[in-house]
Amino acid sequence: MQCSACHQESNTSDGYVPGAPAWHLAPLSMGWERARGDKDLCEALLDKKRNGNREARGMVIHMTNDPLVQWAWAPGRGRNPPPISQEDFHVLLQSWEATGAACPTRN
């Protein structure tokens, strides 16, 4: 089956099936599960081979505007949103980019 058979433009009314405009999973290359800490995560965000060929500014635009990324704060029934508010996440990303998008030297 195609993902779109179940995943629509928004979560189902009962909240069990997630949905957002152009629903799809992130490519495995963009997965953060293997990041061992802040340094690994930062390097992944800046790695153009894994981030959709984006500079730091492009990542901020993607992470603060893409409907699929924003969906994380309204994930529906049985799923938890990120442990940071959407607004705080946006502010931190914008501050990171504005101050040079430097990565920590240690994990």
Side-chain angles (χ1 to χ4, degrees):
M1 290 181 100
Q2 294 292 318
C3 297
S4 60
C6 298
H7 299 280
Q8 303 297 312
E9 295 287 310
S10 61
N11 296 344
T12 58
S13 60
D14 64 8
Y16 283 112
V17 181
W23 179 266
H24 64 277
L25 293 175
L28 289 175
S29 64
M30 290 184 178
W32 298 351
E33 290 83 11
R34 293 187 181 132
R36 295 178 313 216
D38 293 344
K39 180 178 184 286
D40 282 353
L41 179 57
C42 182
E43 289 173 352
L45 289 175
L46 294 175
D47 184 347
K48 288 183 173 184
K49 292 178 182 171
R50 297 189 287 168
N51 75 7
N53 199 34
R54 296 176 176 100
E55 297 286 342
R57 180 71 188 134
M59 281 305 295
V60 171
I61 292 167
H62 169 66
M63 301 287 281
T64 59
N65 291 291
D66 187 287
L68 287 173
V69 176
Q70 302 316 297
W71 169 87
W73 285 274
R77 195 174 206 164
R79 289 174 293 280
N80 295 320
I84 183 174
S85 75
Q86 190 174 26
E87 182 179 345
D88 287 348
F89 178 71
H90 292 183
V91 167
L92 284 172
L93 279 170
Q94 292 161 349
S95 176
W96 169 73
E97 191 268 332
T99 58
C103 291
T105 57
R106 295 184 181 166
N107 267 324

